[in-house]
Amino acid sequence: IHHYHVFSVITILFDEILKDLKSGKDVKIFNFGLLQLKNTKPRKYHDVRFNKVLLSEGHRILKFTLAPPIRKKLCVNLDKKIKDE
């Protein structure tokens, strides 16, 4: 299999994932994790240029949550590594 073919398949996969995320769906990858596109609330901040408190726009963030089996293995391995040091 030529590497250009592999790139095109991966590109199609990422395009489909992006379409689903933009339409508000969560993307669950079995035994790996969950991808979610979340909207953040507008926040107040102090602008030093104008010396005023302004309201920033809300943003969209991509949140990734690991599947519980992988999270547990990572925690166990990290605990072992920390104890070994």
Side-chain angles (χ1 to χ4, degrees):
I1 299 173
H2 201 270
H3 67 277
Y4 288 131
H5 180 69
V6 174
F7 289 150
S8 67
V9 170
I10 291 172
T11 303
I12 292 169
L13 175 68
F14 284 147
D15 287 340
E16 291 298 318
I17 289 173
L18 281 174
K19 267 194 241 178
D20 286 345
L21 287 172
K22 286 181 179 179
S23 67
K25 298 178 188 174
D26 295 341
V27 177
K28 185 172 184 179
I29 303 169
F30 184 71
N31 280 341
F32 185 66
L34 178 70
L35 290 168
Q36 298 172 314
L37 196 60
K38 297 246 178 179
N39 292 327
T40 60
K41 297 179 183 177
R43 296 181 183 206
K44 293 181 181 178
Y45 69 98
H46 182 263
D47 192 340
V48 294
R49 296 175 295 168
F50 305 114
N51 200 22
K52 290 183 180 179
V53 175
L54 300 175
L55 191 64
S56 71
E57 298 177 3
H59 296 284
R60 294 186 344 176
I61 59 169
L62 182 65
K63 183 177 178 184
F64 176 70
T65 307
L66 275 174
I70 294 176
R71 187 180 317 129
K72 287 177 186 176
K73 283 197 177 231
L74 280 174
C75 290
V76 167
N77 289 337
L78 286 173
D79 285 342
K80 286 180 185 176
K81 189 170 186 169
I82 290 172
K83 288 178 183 177
D84 291 342
E85 291 178 355

